[in-house]
Amino acid sequence: MWISDVTLVLPDRVVSRASLRIAEGKIAELVERPVPGGITGPDLTVYPGFIDMHGDMIELELEPRARVDFPMEVALASLDARLAAAGVTTAYAAVSFSRGARDGERRSYAHTSQVIRQLHAMRDTCRVDHRIHARFDITFDNAVGVLEQLLDDEQVDLVSLMDHTPGQGQYRNLEVHVKNKAAHHGISETEARQMVANTIALRSRPQEILMGNIRAVSKMCADHGVSLASHDDDTVPKAHLMADMGARIAEFPVTMEAAKAAVDKGMMTAMGAPNAMRGQSYSGNLSARDLHAAGLLHILASDYHPGAMLAAVHALAPSDPDGLAGAVRLVSVNPARSLGLSDRGTLAIGKRADLFVADARGRVALTLCGGQVVHHNGTLDLAAAKSPAFAEAMG
C-alpha cells in the first residue's frame, strides 16, 4: 500500500508532496516525492498514530448512566471505534482503584480487577492496540494485594499513584471543589461541603500507611518492569518523592513549581488534551498551554475525550518552537519513549504502520493500526492503493 503526494509529519520536520509505502504491517519506504497512484487526495496530511497514555473513557462506556451497566463487549467496541476515528492507535485504558468512586462497593477493587481482566482478554478483538493503565489510589489499602496479583499475571501495562482526598492534589482548593461538586450533583453548596467533609473523613490515613502503600506499589512496578507515573503533584516535595520512588511520568501536575521539580528530577510531564485545547483546566489548576509555553510539557493524553488530541495539537502547533512537528511529538514520540514502546510513535522505516490521514479540514479520514485499516470515513479511494494498474506502474 502506498499513500502518495501528501504532507508527512516527521519527528523533526513536516514534508510536503511526499509518499510512504506500507508492507507487512510496517512502514517500508519513505520518499520525498509523489509516486504514481496510491491513496491520494488534495491537502492530505499523514500523522503518526497517537499514543494515549491516559484515557478515562472505558468506565463511562461501562456505566453511561448511574446504575446502568453495559456489557464489556458493547462498551469496548464503542470506545474502540471512537479511538480509531480520533487517530489513536495505542490506548491505555485508565481503570481506577479508588475510594469514593460511583456506587461505592460496586467500584471496589474486586470489580476493578474484573474489568481489567476482561479488557486484557478482549484486546485481540479490537481495532487499535489497547493496554491497561491501573490508577491506584494510595488510600485504598485493600487493593495493594489485588494490584500485585494483576501485575504477576501480566494484566497491567502502566500504574499511576494518585490521592484524590480533597484539600491537596487536584482538589487542593476546597472552595472550588465544593462549587464544582455542587454543580455536578445539582445540590446546594452546603450539601456539597458536607459531602466533601465526609470524603475527607473516609479517606483519612496515617502518613506511615500512605508511604507504605506508595513503597509497595513502587517496588511491584520495578520488579515487573512496568512504568510508574505520579498523579496531580502539587508541591515540590511531592514531585521529588514520586521521582525518588521511580516514577517516570508526572501526570497532570497541579502547579508550575511541581512540574518544574519533576522535570528537574528527570520525569516527563503529561497533561490533558482537553486542557490544552480549551486553554485551561476545568478544576482551575495549571494550564497545559502555560506548561507548554514554559518548555516543560512532554505528553498530551486524551484524559476524557480522544477527539481533543488532534485539536490540542493544532492549538499548540503555532506556538511550538518546532511547529506542527513539535506539537505532534507530544502525542507520538514522547509517550512512546516514556512507555518503552520502541516499535512505534513515528513515521520512520521499520516502525509499525500506526498512522492516520487527515483531510484539509483536519478530520481523520483514514486510520491504520499495524498496517490494517481500522477507520475510514469513505472519502478516500482505498482500492487505488492496490489496483493492478498501480502495481504495474510501480513495477
Side-chain angles (χ1 to χ4, degrees), residues 70-366:
F70 273 31
M72 177 62 76
E73 292 82 358
V74 175
L76 186 56
S78 174
L79 176 58
D80 190 40
R82 286 178 63 199
L83 291 164
V88 177
T89 53
T90 303
Y92 285 71
V95 184
S96 299
F97 285 94
S98 176
R99 286 187 178 277
R102 288 175 298 174
D103 295 330
E105 288 304 308
R106 295 182 68 253
R107 286 293 178 264
S108 68
Y109 59 84
H111 176 83
T112 301
S113 177
Q114 179 185 14
V115 167
I116 288 174
R117 291 182 184 279
Q118 287 180 322
L119 275 169
H120 192 275
M122 295 181 63
R123 288 166 56 168
D124 291 342
T125 69
C126 295
R127 307 181 191 200
V128 308
D129 184 3
H130 287 264
R131 296 172 181 242
I132 311 299
H133 174 168
R135 299 182 60 189
F136 186 86
D137 193 311
I138 63 174
T139 71
F140 211 178
D141 313 326
N142 293 333
V144 174
V146 178
L147 177 61
E148 183 174 24
Q149 188 61 61
L150 288 166
L151 288 165
D152 286 343
D153 295 342
E154 300 181 344
Q155 300 286 301
V156 173
D157 305 285
L158 170 66
V159 175
S160 60
L161 290 169
M162 65 182 187
D163 182 356
H164 277 174
T165 304
Q168 54 79 56
Q170 181 178 352
Y171 307 122
R172 65 193 183 114
N173 189 322
L174 282 175
E175 286 308 306
V176 170
H177 183 48
V178 166
K179 290 181 184 298
N180 287 343
K181 188 166 284 291
H184 178 73
H185 291 282
I187 58 179
S188 70
E189 289 191 14
T190 300
E191 292 171 306
R193 191 167 281 105
Q194 184 59 54
M195 184 182 295
V196 170
N198 293 342
T199 300
I200 293 173
L202 174 68
R203 300 170 67 89
S204 178
R205 291 287 186 281
Q207 189 64 26
E208 58 268 24
I209 290 180
L210 298 181
M211 283 303 304
N213 292 341
I214 291 171
R215 291 191 186 98
V217 173
S218 173
K219 185 178 185 303
M220 282 189 271
C221 290
D223 290 346
H224 290 84
V226 171
S227 294
L228 179 68
S230 64
H231 191 80
D232 295 338
D233 295 340
D234 58 340
T235 66
V236 170
K238 189 182 291 186
H240 285 173
L241 171 65
M242 292 296 102
D244 292 343
M245 287 292 167
R248 301 178 185 177
I249 305 165
E251 283 194 306
F252 315 137
V254 172
T255 66
M256 188 70 74
E257 294 76 17
K260 186 177 186 306
V263 173
D264 288 344
K265 294 284 278 187
M267 297 171 71
M268 301 181 77
T269 64
M271 295 290 271
N275 181 330
M277 178 187 72
R278 298 173 62 244
Q280 60 182 342
S281 162
Y282 83 93
S283 54
N285 293 321
L286 180 62
S287 163
R289 293 195 191 184
D290 290 345
L291 193 62
H292 179 256
L296 298 174
L297 177 61
H298 303 109
I299 298 168
L300 284 175
S302 72
D303 194 4
Y304 55 88
H305 200 299
M309 294 183 75
L310 183 55
V313 164
H314 289 159
L316 295 182
S319 61
D320 194 282
D322 293 325
L324 182 61
V328 168
R329 288 199 296 267
L330 302 174
V331 290
S332 56
V333 175
N334 292 353
R337 188 170 81 237
S338 71
L339 297 166
L341 302 175
S342 59
D343 62 341
R344 68 196 72 186
T346 179
L347 301 180
I349 294 173
K351 299 291 186 181
R352 274 176 55 113
D354 288 358
L355 55 88
F356 69 92
V357 181
D359 63 20
R361 296 174 60 183
R363 299 173 301 185
V364 178
L366 175 71

Side-chain angles (χ1 to χ4, degrees), residues 11-23:
D12 58 345
R13 67 193 193 282
V14 176
V15 182
S16 300
R17 304 214 68 190
S19 306
L20 64 85
R21 180 170 65 88
I22 296 166

